[in-house]
mmCIF file with all atom_site columns, all heavy atoms in Angstrom:
data_model
loop_
_atom_site.group_PDB
_atom_site.id
_atom_site.type_symbol
_atom_site.label_atom_id
_atom_site.label_alt_id
_atom_site.label_comp_id
_atom_site.label_asym_id
_atom_site.label_entity_id
_atom_site.label_seq_id
_atom_site.pdbx_PDB_ins_code
_atom_site.Cartn_x
_atom_site.Cartn_y
_atom_site.Cartn_z
_atom_site.occupancy
_atom_site.B_iso_or_equiv
_atom_site.pdbx_formal_charge
_atom_site.auth_seq_id
_atom_site.auth_comp_id
_atom_site.auth_asym_id
_atom_site.auth_atom_id
_atom_site.pdbx_PDB_model_num
ATOM 1  N N   . SER F 1 248 ? 2.645  14.190 -24.879 1.00 0.00 ? 248 SER F N   1
ATOM 2  C CA  . SER F 1 248 ? 2.028  13.013 -24.259 1.00 0.00 ? 248 SER F CA  1
ATOM 3  C C   . SER F 1 248 ? 2.117  13.041 -22.742 1.00 0.00 ? 248 SER F C   1
ATOM 4  O O   . SER F 1 248 ? 1.158  12.678 -22.057 1.00 0.00 ? 248 SER F O   1
ATOM 5  C CB  . SER F 1 248 ? 2.689  11.730 -24.793 1.00 0.00 ? 248 SER F CB  1
ATOM 6  O OG  . SER F 1 248 ? 2.388  11.553 -26.159 1.00 0.00 ? 248 SER F OG  1
ATOM 7  N N   . ALA F 1 249 ? 3.249  13.478 -22.198 1.00 0.00 ? 249 ALA F N   1
ATOM 8  C CA  . ALA F 1 249 ? 3.402  13.521 -20.747 1.00 0.00 ? 249 ALA F CA  1
ATOM 9  C C   . ALA F 1 249 ? 2.389  14.478 -20.127 1.00 0.00 ? 249 ALA F C   1
ATOM 10 O O   . ALA F 1 249 ? 1.774  14.180 -19.090 1.00 0.00 ? 249 ALA F O   1
ATOM 11 C CB  . ALA F 1 249 ? 4.828  13.937 -20.385 1.00 0.00 ? 249 ALA F CB  1
ATOM 12 N N   . TRP F 1 250 ? 2.206  15.624 -20.750 1.00 0.00 ? 250 TRP F N   1
ATOM 13 C CA  . TRP F 1 250 ? 1.226  16.595 -20.262 1.00 0.00 ? 250 TRP F CA  1
ATOM 14 C C   . TRP F 1 250 ? -0.184 16.027 -20.364 1.00 0.00 ? 250 TRP F C   1
ATOM 15 O O   . TRP F 1 250 ? -0.991 16.171 -19.451 1.00 0.00 ? 250 TRP F O   1
ATOM 16 C CB  . TRP F 1 250 ? 1.332  17.882 -21.071 1.00 0.00 ? 250 TRP F CB  1
ATOM 17 C CG  . TRP F 1 250 ? 0.363  18.953 -20.673 1.00 0.00 ? 250 TRP F CG  1
ATOM 18 C CD1 . TRP F 1 250 ? 0.549  19.928 -19.722 1.00 0.00 ? 250 TRP F CD1 1
ATOM 19 C CD2 . TRP F 1 250 ? -0.960 19.159 -21.202 1.00 0.00 ? 250 TRP F CD2 1
ATOM 20 N NE1 . TRP F 1 250 ? -0.571 20.722 -19.628 1.00 0.00 ? 250 TRP F NE1 1
ATOM 21 C CE2 . TRP F 1 250 ? -1.516 20.276 -20.515 1.00 0.00 ? 250 TRP F CE2 1
ATOM 22 C CE3 . TRP F 1 250 ? -1.720 18.527 -22.167 1.00 0.00 ? 250 TRP F CE3 1
ATOM 23 C CZ2 . TRP F 1 250 ? -2.791 20.755 -20.780 1.00 0.00 ? 250 TRP F CZ2 1
ATOM 24 C CZ3 . TRP F 1 250 ? -2.995 18.999 -22.437 1.00 0.00 ? 250 TRP F CZ3 1
ATOM 25 C CH2 . TRP F 1 250 ? -3.524 20.097 -21.754 1.00 0.00 ? 250 TRP F CH2 1
ATOM 26 N N   . ALA F 1 251 ? -0.495 15.375 -21.487 1.00 0.00 ? 251 ALA F N   1
ATOM 27 C CA  . ALA F 1 251 ? -1.830 14.824 -21.699 1.00 0.00 ? 251 ALA F CA  1
ATOM 28 C C   . ALA F 1 251 ? -2.158 13.752 -20.651 1.00 0.00 ? 251 ALA F C   1
ATOM 29 O O   . ALA F 1 251 ? -3.264 13.727 -20.099 1.00 0.00 ? 251 ALA F O   1
ATOM 30 C CB  . ALA F 1 251 ? -1.939 14.247 -23.106 1.00 0.00 ? 251 ALA F CB  1
ATOM 31 N N   . VAL F 1 252 ? -1.197 12.886 -20.378 1.00 0.00 ? 252 VAL F N   1
ATOM 32 C CA  . VAL F 1 252 ? -1.405 11.838 -19.366 1.00 0.00 ? 252 VAL F CA  1
ATOM 33 C C   . VAL F 1 252 ? -1.634 12.464 -17.998 1.00 0.00 ? 252 VAL F C   1
ATOM 34 O O   . VAL F 1 252 ? -2.533 12.057 -17.247 1.00 0.00 ? 252 VAL F O   1
ATOM 35 C CB  . VAL F 1 252 ? -0.202 10.875 -19.332 1.00 0.00 ? 252 VAL F CB  1
ATOM 36 C CG1 . VAL F 1 252 ? -0.285 9.953  -18.118 1.00 0.00 ? 252 VAL F CG1 1
ATOM 37 C CG2 . VAL F 1 252 ? -0.138 10.053 -20.615 1.00 0.00 ? 252 VAL F CG2 1
#
Side-chain angles (χ1 to χ4, degrees):
S248 293
W250 179 89
V252 169

